[in-house]
Amino acid sequence: MKSFHCFITFTTLLFIPLITFSQKNTSLNETPEAKKVRQDAIVKEFLTDCAEKYNYTFAMDKWQNCLDQGLKRDSTIAYLWQQKAMPYFKARKYEVGMQYIDRAVFYDAKRWQSYRAFIKCIFAKTYKEALIDFEDCKKKFGNDYVMDHSYNFYIGLCYLQLDEIPTAQEYFKEYIDELYQKRNGLEHHTAYFYYGITLFEQNKWEEAIAIFDKALKIYSNFSEAKLYKSICLARLEKNEESSKLFKEAKEDALKGYNINEDNAVYEMYPYQKKWKL
């Protein structure tokens, strides 16, 4: 009985700082509307009118100091925690940034958990952890979108990088079907590319070529699609056609026609190729 009492006392003490800290930032009589107005004002003062005056690449200390001042006013503003995290991810300091994005998710999971999952998938490349986040997001919020793609797209990438190819194929196919059926015939070259890669990895050369062709119909200079198509052609012993396409792929790549996802300027995407001059 004594040990149980000690456990309760210890647990209570653990939570006292968190509760005290939270109460400091919250008015019991504040309406949701009033809270939004107050927090928006803090964001404007310390992010828009302070941090954004600086380039975090060259003045990280000033950027972070502005945000820290805002969080002293209200530590529950998830957006300020996310803005603290973001420059560290772009600087490839993933563990530093993750501690801040975790706080953003704590205060607003609906807005920031999928972003954290995206960071784990594309930036930190911790694919098993990303899968946990994405699957949890799907359960809580449905198969929503983050950074231009549905959760299923990123789940497919995670399985691809974990070398679970048939599972990855299923998710990319589902994403492609969803785009076409639910978004008025919309097609996406990156989705086709990765679907083609899952076929490529299973030595289904002709099927992969057909899918790479769909990607190239949308993005005709897509160098990675041309590269992997050329490899498929070589495996089918169509060497002359393969050699010609390989040369085109390199020329397009050196002109900058690579995977053109927005965050590809910061991180290499799976199966992205860096060419030497």
Side-chain angles (χ1 to χ4, degrees):
M1 189 70 179
K2 184 177 179 182
S3 61
F4 178 76
H5 176 74
C6 291
F7 173 77
I8 293 295
T9 304
F10 178 69
T11 305
T12 304
L13 287 171
L14 274 177
F15 282 94
I16 284 174
L18 178 60
I19 294 168
T20 303
F21 194 57
S22 298
Q23 286 176 340
K24 190 170 91 171
N25 292 293
T26 306
S27 170
L28 294 175
N29 299 318
E30 189 176 40
T31 65
E33 294 78 11
K35 179 180 178 180
K36 184 178 186 307
V37 169
R38 177 178 59 78
Q39 291 188 334
D40 285 350
I42 292 173
V43 169
K44 182 178 185 303
E45 181 177 355
F46 293 101
L47 176 61
T48 309
D49 296 341
C50 186
E52 289 182 355
K53 290 182 178 179
Y54 305 102
N55 183 323
Y56 49 73
T57 302
F58 306 108
M60 176 74 89
D61 58 333
K62 294 182 182 297
W63 175 277
Q64 295 293 347
N65 183 61
C66 288
L67 298 176
D68 287 343
Q69 294 304 309
L71 288 165
K72 284 181 181 178
R73 292 275 192 91
D74 187 344
S75 65
T76 70
I77 301 176
Y79 186 38
L80 294 185
W81 288 112
Q82 184 272 336
Q83 287 292 292
K84 278 185 68 65
M86 175 267 297
Y88 289 115
F89 295 138
K90 292 181 178 178
R92 298 187 174 90
K93 297 181 178 181
Y94 308 120
E95 291 186 33
V96 177
M98 200 57 67
Q99 64 185 325
Y100 299 125
I101 200 60
D102 285 346
R103 296 296 295 272
V105 173
F106 178 79
Y107 290 117
D108 190 352
K110 187 172 184 180
R111 175 64 185 87
W112 296 114
Q113 188 175 357
S114 62
Y115 173 83
R116 181 177 69 184
F118 164 81
I119 291 294
K120 290 176 180 179
C121 176
I122 300 300
F123 282 72
K125 298 171 177 59
T126 51
Y127 300 109
K128 290 181 180 179
E129 290 186 20
L131 280 173
I132 291 170
D133 255 349
F134 276 122
E135 292 291 1
D136 190 49
C137 284
K138 282 183 69 175
K139 288 178 183 177
K140 293 190 292 191
F141 313 123
N143 184 31
D144 208 341
Y145 276 63
V146 60
M147 298 294 177
D148 300 324
H149 297 289
S150 76
Y151 301 160
N152 279 346
F153 171 81
Y154 295 105
I155 291 171
L157 279 184
C158 290
Y159 281 117
L160 180 62
Q161 293 304 91
L162 291 169
D163 214 31
E164 297 184 33
I165 308 301
T167 304
Q169 179 183 343
E170 291 176 13
Y171 277 98
F172 288 125
K173 182 64 166 63
E174 186 175 337
Y175 177 49
I176 288 167
D177 290 344
E178 174 199 335
L179 282 174
Y180 195 82
Q181 294 168 9
K182 295 183 179 179
R183 294 181 176 262
N184 300 318
L186 180 65
E187 297 176 300
H188 200 291
H189 57 277
T190 307
Y192 278 129
F193 171 68
Y194 284 117
Y195 182 45
I197 287 294
T198 64
L199 299 168
F200 168 88
E201 288 289 8
Q202 296 174 82
N203 298 342
K204 297 178 180 179
W205 314 120
E206 292 179 346
E207 292 178 51
I209 287 170
I211 300 301
F212 290 139
D213 281 343
K214 289 187 176 184
L216 289 165
K217 185 177 179 181
I218 301 168
Y219 178 13
S220 62
N221 298 106
F222 194 170
S223 61
E224 281 87 2
K226 288 185 177 182
L227 169 64
Y228 288 98
K229 178 183 174 181
S230 75
I231 298 171
C232 292
L233 290 167
R235 294 298 296 267
L236 292 169
E237 299 185 357
K238 297 181 179 181
N239 296 322
E240 186 176 343
E241 191 177 349
S242 172
S243 179
K244 179 182 177 183
L245 191 61
F246 182 88
K247 183 179 178 182
E248 282 183 27
K250 184 172 182 179
E251 290 173 353
D252 285 337
L254 295 176
K255 292 175 184 176
Y257 296 112
N258 307 103
I259 289 175
N260 59 357
E261 295 293 306
D262 288 346
N263 285 279
V265 298
Y266 304 110
E267 289 290 337
M268 288 284 288
Y269 271 62
Y271 292 81
Q272 186 175 351
K273 169 72 174 174
K274 279 192 174 181
W275 295 81
K276 295 180 180 179
L277 291 172

Short mmCIF file of all heavy atoms in Angstrom, two decimals, residues 46-47 51-52 56 60-72 74-75 77-91 93-104 107 112 115 119:
data_model
loop_
_atom_site.label_atom_id
_atom_site.label_comp_id
_atom_site.label_asym_id
_atom_site.label_seq_id
_atom_site.Cartn_x
_atom_site.Cartn_y
_atom_site.Cartn_z
N PHE A 46 5.44 38.11 -33.22
CA PHE A 46 6.71 37.42 -33.01
C PHE A 46 7.17 36.56 -34.20
O PHE A 46 8.35 36.23 -34.29
CB PHE A 46 6.64 36.56 -31.75
CG PHE A 46 6.50 37.39 -30.51
CD1 PHE A 46 5.27 37.55 -29.90
CD2 PHE A 46 7.60 38.05 -29.96
CE1 PHE A 46 5.13 38.33 -28.76
CE2 PHE A 46 7.47 38.84 -28.83
CZ PHE A 46 6.24 38.98 -28.23
N LEU A 47 6.25 36.24 -35.12
CA LEU A 47 6.65 35.53 -36.34
C LEU A 47 6.69 36.50 -37.51
O LEU A 47 7.74 36.80 -38.06
CB LEU A 47 5.71 34.37 -36.64
CG LEU A 47 5.98 33.63 -37.96
CD1 LEU A 47 7.37 33.01 -37.97
CD2 LEU A 47 4.91 32.58 -38.23
N ALA A 51 10.42 37.32 -36.51
CA ALA A 51 11.25 36.24 -37.08
C ALA A 51 11.42 36.38 -38.58
O ALA A 51 12.51 36.19 -39.13
CB ALA A 51 10.64 34.88 -36.73
N GLU A 52 10.32 36.71 -39.28
CA GLU A 52 10.37 36.75 -40.73
C GLU A 52 11.15 37.94 -41.29
O GLU A 52 11.33 38.05 -42.50
CB GLU A 52 8.95 36.71 -41.30
CG GLU A 52 8.30 35.34 -41.10
CD GLU A 52 6.91 35.23 -41.68
OE1 GLU A 52 6.38 36.26 -42.17
OE2 GLU A 52 6.34 34.12 -41.65
N TYR A 56 16.58 32.59 -41.80
CA TYR A 56 17.04 31.63 -40.79
C TYR A 56 18.30 30.89 -41.23
O TYR A 56 19.03 30.34 -40.40
CB TYR A 56 15.94 30.64 -40.42
CG TYR A 56 15.22 29.98 -41.57
CD1 TYR A 56 15.83 29.00 -42.35
CD2 TYR A 56 13.92 30.35 -41.89
CE1 TYR A 56 15.18 28.41 -43.41
CE2 TYR A 56 13.23 29.75 -42.94
CZ TYR A 56 13.88 28.78 -43.70
OH TYR A 56 13.22 28.20 -44.75
N MET A 60 19.91 32.19 -37.76
CA MET A 60 19.05 31.26 -37.03
C MET A 60 18.79 31.73 -35.61
O MET A 60 17.68 31.58 -35.09
CB MET A 60 19.68 29.87 -37.01
CG MET A 60 18.93 28.84 -36.20
SD MET A 60 17.42 28.25 -37.00
CE MET A 60 18.07 26.88 -37.95
N ASP A 61 19.81 32.32 -34.98
CA ASP A 61 19.65 32.75 -33.59
C ASP A 61 18.57 33.81 -33.46
O ASP A 61 17.75 33.78 -32.53
CB ASP A 61 20.98 33.26 -33.04
CG ASP A 61 21.56 34.41 -33.84
OD1 ASP A 61 21.28 34.52 -35.06
OD2 ASP A 61 22.33 35.21 -33.26
N LYS A 62 18.52 34.74 -34.40
CA LYS A 62 17.52 35.82 -34.34
C LYS A 62 16.12 35.25 -34.63
O LYS A 62 15.13 35.65 -33.99
CB LYS A 62 17.88 36.93 -35.32
CG LYS A 62 19.16 37.68 -34.96
CD LYS A 62 19.43 38.80 -35.93
CE LYS A 62 20.73 39.52 -35.59
NZ LYS A 62 20.67 40.20 -34.27
N TRP A 63 16.03 34.37 -35.61
CA TRP A 63 14.76 33.71 -35.93
C TRP A 63 14.20 33.00 -34.70
O TRP A 63 13.05 33.20 -34.30
CB TRP A 63 14.97 32.72 -37.07
CG TRP A 63 13.79 31.88 -37.43
CD1 TRP A 63 13.40 30.72 -36.82
CD2 TRP A 63 12.84 32.11 -38.47
NE1 TRP A 63 12.27 30.21 -37.41
CE2 TRP A 63 11.91 31.05 -38.43
CE3 TRP A 63 12.69 33.10 -39.43
CZ2 TRP A 63 10.84 30.95 -39.32
CZ3 TRP A 63 11.63 33.00 -40.33
CH2 TRP A 63 10.72 31.95 -40.27
N GLN A 64 15.06 32.19 -34.07
CA GLN A 64 14.62 31.40 -32.92
C GLN A 64 14.32 32.28 -31.71
O GLN A 64 13.38 31.99 -30.95
CB GLN A 64 15.68 30.35 -32.56
CG GLN A 64 15.91 29.30 -33.63
CD GLN A 64 14.71 28.38 -33.83
OE1 GLN A 64 13.78 28.35 -33.04
NE2 GLN A 64 14.72 27.63 -34.93
N ASN A 65 15.06 33.33 -31.53
CA ASN A 65 14.81 34.22 -30.39
C ASN A 65 13.43 34.87 -30.49
O ASN A 65 12.71 34.98 -29.49
CB ASN A 65 15.90 35.31 -30.31
CG ASN A 65 15.70 36.20 -29.11
OD1 ASN A 65 15.73 35.76 -27.96
ND2 ASN A 65 15.46 37.49 -29.37
N CYS A 66 13.05 35.30 -31.68
CA CYS A 66 11.72 35.89 -31.87
C CYS A 66 10.63 34.90 -31.48
O CYS A 66 9.67 35.23 -30.77
CB CYS A 66 11.52 36.32 -33.32
SG CYS A 66 12.46 37.77 -33.83
N LEU A 67 10.78 33.66 -31.96
CA LEU A 67 9.77 32.64 -31.67
C LEU A 67 9.73 32.29 -30.19
O LEU A 67 8.66 32.08 -29.61
CB LEU A 67 10.03 31.39 -32.51
CG LEU A 67 9.96 31.59 -34.02
CD1 LEU A 67 10.34 30.31 -34.74
CD2 LEU A 67 8.56 32.02 -34.46
N ASP A 68 10.90 32.27 -29.57
CA ASP A 68 10.96 31.98 -28.14
C ASP A 68 10.22 33.05 -27.33
O ASP A 68 9.54 32.73 -26.34
CB ASP A 68 12.41 31.90 -27.67
CG ASP A 68 13.10 30.63 -28.14
OD1 ASP A 68 12.39 29.68 -28.55
OD2 ASP A 68 14.35 30.59 -28.13
N GLN A 69 10.34 34.28 -27.76
CA GLN A 69 9.62 35.37 -27.07
C GLN A 69 8.11 35.18 -27.21
O GLN A 69 7.35 35.42 -26.27
CB GLN A 69 10.05 36.73 -27.63
CG GLN A 69 11.50 37.10 -27.36
CD GLN A 69 11.85 37.06 -25.87
OE1 GLN A 69 11.14 37.65 -25.06
NE2 GLN A 69 12.92 36.36 -25.53
N GLY A 70 7.68 34.76 -28.38
CA GLY A 70 6.26 34.51 -28.58
C GLY A 70 5.76 33.35 -27.74
O GLY A 70 4.66 33.41 -27.16
N LEU A 71 6.58 32.30 -27.63
CA LEU A 71 6.18 31.14 -26.83
C LEU A 71 6.19 31.43 -25.34
O LEU A 71 5.50 30.76 -24.57
CB LEU A 71 7.09 29.95 -27.15
CG LEU A 71 6.83 29.34 -28.54
CD1 LEU A 71 7.97 28.44 -28.97
CD2 LEU A 71 5.51 28.58 -28.55
N LYS A 72 6.94 32.46 -24.93
CA LYS A 72 6.86 32.89 -23.53
C LYS A 72 5.50 33.51 -23.24
O LYS A 72 4.98 33.41 -22.13
CB LYS A 72 7.97 33.90 -23.23
CG LYS A 72 9.34 33.27 -23.05
CD LYS A 72 10.39 34.32 -22.72
CE LYS A 72 11.77 33.68 -22.58
NZ LYS A 72 12.82 34.70 -22.29
N ASP A 74 2.69 32.58 -24.93
CA ASP A 74 1.74 31.47 -24.95
C ASP A 74 2.42 30.24 -25.54
O ASP A 74 2.62 30.15 -26.76
CB ASP A 74 0.50 31.84 -25.77
CG ASP A 74 -0.60 30.79 -25.69
OD1 ASP A 74 -0.30 29.65 -25.26
OD2 ASP A 74 -1.75 31.09 -26.04
N SER A 75 2.77 29.31 -24.69
CA SER A 75 3.51 28.12 -25.14
C SER A 75 2.61 27.09 -25.81
O SER A 75 3.09 26.04 -26.24
CB SER A 75 4.20 27.46 -23.94
OG SER A 75 3.22 26.97 -23.03
N ILE A 77 0.82 27.65 -28.60
CA ILE A 77 0.61 27.99 -30.01
C ILE A 77 1.42 27.01 -30.88
O ILE A 77 2.63 27.15 -31.04
CB ILE A 77 0.99 29.44 -30.32
CG1 ILE A 77 0.17 30.41 -29.46
CG2 ILE A 77 0.77 29.75 -31.81
CD1 ILE A 77 0.55 31.87 -29.62
N ALA A 78 0.74 26.03 -31.45
CA ALA A 78 1.40 24.97 -32.20
C ALA A 78 2.20 25.52 -33.38
O ALA A 78 3.28 25.01 -33.69
CB ALA A 78 0.37 23.96 -32.68
N TYR A 79 1.66 26.53 -34.05
CA TYR A 79 2.32 27.06 -35.24
C TYR A 79 3.70 27.62 -34.92
O TYR A 79 4.65 27.47 -35.71
CB TYR A 79 1.44 28.14 -35.86
CG TYR A 79 1.95 28.68 -37.18
CD1 TYR A 79 2.55 27.85 -38.12
CD2 TYR A 79 1.82 30.03 -37.50
CE1 TYR A 79 3.00 28.35 -39.34
CE2 TYR A 79 2.26 30.54 -38.71
CZ TYR A 79 2.86 29.70 -39.61
OH TYR A 79 3.31 30.20 -40.81
N LEU A 80 3.88 28.22 -33.76
CA LEU A 80 5.19 28.74 -33.39
C LEU A 80 6.18 27.59 -33.15
O LEU A 80 7.36 27.70 -33.51
CB LEU A 80 5.09 29.63 -32.14
CG LEU A 80 4.31 30.94 -32.30
CD1 LEU A 80 4.38 31.77 -31.02
CD2 LEU A 80 4.82 31.76 -33.49
N TRP A 81 5.72 26.49 -32.58
CA TRP A 81 6.59 25.33 -32.41
C TRP A 81 7.00 24.75 -33.77
O TRP A 81 8.16 24.38 -33.98
CB TRP A 81 5.90 24.25 -31.58
CG TRP A 81 5.76 24.59 -30.12
CD1 TRP A 81 4.60 24.85 -29.45
CD2 TRP A 81 6.82 24.71 -29.17
NE1 TRP A 81 4.87 25.12 -28.12
CE2 TRP A 81 6.23 25.04 -27.93
CE3 TRP A 81 8.20 24.56 -29.23
CZ2 TRP A 81 6.97 25.23 -26.76
CZ3 TRP A 81 8.95 24.76 -28.07
CH2 TRP A 81 8.34 25.08 -26.86
N GLN A 82 6.04 24.71 -34.70
CA GLN A 82 6.36 24.20 -36.04
C GLN A 82 7.38 25.11 -36.73
O GLN A 82 8.30 24.62 -37.42
CB GLN A 82 5.09 24.09 -36.88
CG GLN A 82 5.29 23.49 -38.26
CD GLN A 82 5.65 24.52 -39.32
OE1 GLN A 82 5.34 25.70 -39.17
NE2 GLN A 82 6.29 24.07 -40.39
N GLN A 83 7.23 26.40 -36.56
CA GLN A 83 8.16 27.33 -37.18
C GLN A 83 9.55 27.26 -36.55
O GLN A 83 10.55 27.56 -37.20
CB GLN A 83 7.60 28.75 -37.11
CG GLN A 83 6.45 29.01 -38.06
CD GLN A 83 6.89 28.99 -39.51
OE1 GLN A 83 7.62 29.86 -39.97
NE2 GLN A 83 6.44 27.99 -40.26
N LYS A 84 9.62 26.87 -35.28
CA LYS A 84 10.94 26.61 -34.67
C LYS A 84 11.57 25.37 -35.30
O LYS A 84 12.79 25.33 -35.53
CB LYS A 84 10.79 26.40 -33.16
CG LYS A 84 10.72 27.68 -32.34
CD LYS A 84 10.70 27.40 -30.85
CE LYS A 84 12.01 26.85 -30.33
NZ LYS A 84 13.15 27.80 -30.44
N ALA A 85 10.75 24.37 -35.57
CA ALA A 85 11.27 23.10 -36.08
C ALA A 85 11.74 23.20 -37.53
O ALA A 85 12.78 22.64 -37.90
CB ALA A 85 10.19 22.03 -35.97
N MET A 86 10.97 23.88 -38.35
CA MET A 86 11.16 23.86 -39.81
C MET A 86 12.58 24.19 -40.28
O MET A 86 13.14 23.45 -41.11
CB MET A 86 10.12 24.79 -40.46
CG MET A 86 10.26 24.98 -41.95
SD MET A 86 11.28 26.44 -42.35
CE MET A 86 10.29 27.77 -41.66
N PRO A 87 13.23 25.25 -39.78
CA PRO A 87 14.58 25.54 -40.29
C PRO A 87 15.60 24.46 -39.95
O PRO A 87 16.55 24.24 -40.70
CB PRO A 87 14.94 26.86 -39.58
CG PRO A 87 13.66 27.44 -39.12
CD PRO A 87 12.78 26.28 -38.83
N TYR A 88 15.40 23.78 -38.84
CA TYR A 88 16.32 22.71 -38.48
C TYR A 88 16.19 21.53 -39.43
O TYR A 88 17.20 20.89 -39.78
CB TYR A 88 16.07 22.25 -37.04
CG TYR A 88 16.51 23.26 -36.01
CD1 TYR A 88 15.60 23.89 -35.17
CD2 TYR A 88 17.86 23.60 -35.87
CE1 TYR A 88 16.01 24.83 -34.22
CE2 TYR A 88 18.29 24.53 -34.93
CZ TYR A 88 17.35 25.14 -34.11
OH TYR A 88 17.76 26.07 -33.18
N PHE A 89 14.98 21.24 -39.87
CA PHE A 89 14.80 20.16 -40.85
C PHE A 89 15.51 20.51 -42.16
O PHE A 89 16.16 19.66 -42.77
CB PHE A 89 13.32 19.89 -41.10
CG PHE A 89 12.58 19.37 -39.90
CD1 PHE A 89 11.32 19.84 -39.59
CD2 PHE A 89 13.16 18.41 -39.08
CE1 PHE A 89 10.64 19.36 -38.48
CE2 PHE A 89 12.49 17.93 -37.96
CZ PHE A 89 11.22 18.40 -37.66
N LYS A 90 15.38 21.75 -42.58
CA LYS A 90 16.02 22.16 -43.82
C LYS A 90 17.54 22.18 -43.71
O LYS A 90 18.25 22.08 -44.71
CB LYS A 90 15.48 23.52 -44.26
CG LYS A 90 14.02 23.46 -44.69
CD LYS A 90 13.48 24.80 -45.15
CE LYS A 90 12.04 24.67 -45.61
NZ LYS A 90 11.46 25.97 -46.03
N ALA A 91 18.03 22.30 -42.48
CA ALA A 91 19.47 22.25 -42.23
C ALA A 91 19.94 20.82 -41.93
O ALA A 91 21.10 20.61 -41.59
CB ALA A 91 19.83 23.16 -41.06
N LYS A 93 19.17 18.99 -39.45
CA LYS A 93 19.33 18.75 -38.01
C LYS A 93 18.02 18.17 -37.49
O LYS A 93 17.26 18.79 -36.76
CB LYS A 93 19.71 20.04 -37.29
CG LYS A 93 21.05 20.61 -37.74
CD LYS A 93 21.42 21.88 -37.01
CE LYS A 93 22.79 22.40 -37.46
NZ LYS A 93 23.20 23.64 -36.75
N TYR A 94 17.77 16.93 -37.90
CA TYR A 94 16.44 16.33 -37.72
C TYR A 94 16.07 16.14 -36.26
O TYR A 94 14.93 16.41 -35.87
CB TYR A 94 16.37 14.99 -38.46
CG TYR A 94 16.81 15.07 -39.90
CD1 TYR A 94 17.88 14.31 -40.36
CD2 TYR A 94 16.17 15.93 -40.79
CE1 TYR A 94 18.29 14.39 -41.68
CE2 TYR A 94 16.58 16.01 -42.11
CZ TYR A 94 17.64 15.25 -42.54
OH TYR A 94 18.06 15.33 -43.85
N GLU A 95 16.99 15.67 -35.45
CA GLU A 95 16.66 15.40 -34.05
C GLU A 95 16.36 16.69 -33.30
O GLU A 95 15.52 16.71 -32.39
CB GLU A 95 17.78 14.61 -33.39
CG GLU A 95 17.89 13.18 -33.91
CD GLU A 95 18.90 12.35 -33.14
OE1 GLU A 95 19.06 12.58 -31.92
OE2 GLU A 95 19.52 11.48 -33.75
N VAL A 96 17.06 17.76 -33.66
CA VAL A 96 16.78 19.04 -33.03
C VAL A 96 15.38 19.51 -33.40
O VAL A 96 14.58 19.89 -32.54
CB VAL A 96 17.82 20.11 -33.45
CG1 VAL A 96 17.48 21.46 -32.84
CG2 VAL A 96 19.22 19.68 -33.04
N GLY A 97 15.07 19.45 -34.69
CA GLY A 97 13.76 19.90 -35.13
C GLY A 97 12.63 19.04 -34.60
O GLY A 97 11.54 19.55 -34.30
N MET A 98 12.88 17.73 -34.44
CA MET A 98 11.81 16.83 -34.05
C MET A 98 11.26 17.14 -32.66
O MET A 98 10.06 16.99 -32.40
CB MET A 98 12.30 15.38 -34.12
CG MET A 98 11.19 14.34 -34.19
SD MET A 98 10.06 14.57 -35.59
CE MET A 98 11.14 14.23 -36.99
N GLN A 99 12.12 17.59 -31.75
CA GLN A 99 11.64 17.90 -30.41
C GLN A 99 10.64 19.06 -30.44
O GLN A 99 9.72 19.11 -29.61
CB GLN A 99 12.81 18.25 -29.49
CG GLN A 99 13.56 19.52 -29.88
CD GLN A 99 14.77 19.77 -29.01
OE1 GLN A 99 14.76 19.46 -27.82
NE2 GLN A 99 15.83 20.32 -29.60
N TYR A 100 10.77 19.96 -31.42
CA TYR A 100 9.85 21.08 -31.52
C TYR A 100 8.57 20.69 -32.27
O TYR A 100 7.47 21.11 -31.88
CB TYR A 100 10.53 22.27 -32.21
CG TYR A 100 11.73 22.78 -31.45
CD1 TYR A 100 12.98 22.89 -32.08
CD2 TYR A 100 11.63 23.13 -30.11
CE1 TYR A 100 14.08 23.34 -31.37
CE2 TYR A 100 12.74 23.58 -29.40
CZ TYR A 100 13.97 23.68 -30.04
OH TYR A 100 15.05 24.12 -29.34
N ILE A 101 8.70 19.88 -33.31
CA ILE A 101 7.49 19.48 -34.02
C ILE A 101 6.65 18.55 -33.15
O ILE A 101 5.41 18.53 -33.25
CB ILE A 101 7.81 18.84 -35.39
CG1 ILE A 101 6.58 18.88 -36.31
CG2 ILE A 101 8.31 17.43 -35.24
CD1 ILE A 101 6.06 20.25 -36.61
N ASP A 102 7.29 17.82 -32.25
CA ASP A 102 6.52 17.01 -31.29
C ASP A 102 5.63 17.90 -30.43
O ASP A 102 4.49 17.52 -30.11
CB ASP A 102 7.47 16.21 -30.39
CG ASP A 102 8.09 15.02 -31.10
OD1 ASP A 102 7.61 14.65 -32.20
OD2 ASP A 102 9.07 14.45 -30.57
N ARG A 103 6.13 19.06 -30.05
CA ARG A 103 5.31 19.99 -29.26
C ARG A 103 4.15 20.54 -30.09
O ARG A 103 3.04 20.72 -29.59
CB ARG A 103 6.18 21.15 -28.74
CG ARG A 103 7.27 20.74 -27.78
CD ARG A 103 6.75 20.13 -26.49
NE ARG A 103 6.01 21.08 -25.69
CZ ARG A 103 6.55 21.90 -24.78
NH1 ARG A 103 7.86 21.90 -24.59
NH2 ARG A 103 5.81 22.73 -24.08
N ALA A 104 4.42 20.82 -31.35
CA ALA A 104 3.34 21.30 -32.23
C ALA A 104 2.24 20.26 -32.34
O ALA A 104 1.05 20.58 -32.27
CB ALA A 104 3.90 21.63 -33.62
N TYR A 107 0.00 20.06 -29.23
CA TYR A 107 -1.01 21.10 -29.09
C TYR A 107 -2.03 21.12 -30.23
O TYR A 107 -3.14 21.62 -30.05
CB TYR A 107 -0.34 22.48 -28.98
CG TYR A 107 0.39 22.67 -27.67
CD1 TYR A 107 1.76 22.86 -27.63
CD2 TYR A 107 -0.30 22.63 -26.46
CE1 TYR A 107 2.43 23.01 -26.42
CE2 TYR A 107 0.36 22.77 -25.25
CZ TYR A 107 1.73 22.97 -25.24
OH TYR A 107 2.38 23.10 -24.05
N TRP A 112 -0.74 19.23 -37.44
CA TRP A 112 0.69 19.03 -37.58
C TRP A 112 1.18 17.59 -37.53
O TRP A 112 2.35 17.33 -37.84
CB TRP A 112 1.43 19.86 -36.51
CG TRP A 112 1.22 21.32 -36.72
CD1 TRP A 112 0.56 22.20 -35.90
CD2 TRP A 112 1.65 22.10 -37.85
NE1 TRP A 112 0.55 23.46 -36.44
CE2 TRP A 112 1.21 23.43 -37.65
CE3 TRP A 112 2.36 21.79 -39.02
CZ2 TRP A 112 1.46 24.44 -38.57
CZ3 TRP A 112 2.60 22.80 -39.94
CH2 TRP A 112 2.16 24.10 -39.70
N TYR A 115 2.23 16.50 -40.99
CA TYR A 115 3.47 17.19 -41.36
C TYR A 115 4.67 16.48 -40.72
O TYR A 115 5.70 16.28 -41.37
CB TYR A 115 3.40 18.65 -40.90
CG TYR A 115 4.68 19.44 -41.06
CD1 TYR A 115 5.01 20.02 -42.28
CD2 TYR A 115 5.55 19.60 -39.99
CE1 TYR A 115 6.19 20.75 -42.42
CE2 TYR A 115 6.72 20.32 -40.12
CZ TYR A 115 7.05 20.90 -41.34
OH TYR A 115 8.21 21.61 -41.46
N ILE A 119 7.82 14.72 -42.61
CA ILE A 119 9.21 14.99 -42.29
C ILE A 119 9.96 13.69 -42.03
O ILE A 119 11.09 13.49 -42.49
CB ILE A 119 9.32 15.93 -41.06
CG1 ILE A 119 8.83 17.34 -41.42
CG2 ILE A 119 10.76 15.98 -40.54
CD1 ILE A 119 9.66 18.08 -42.43
#
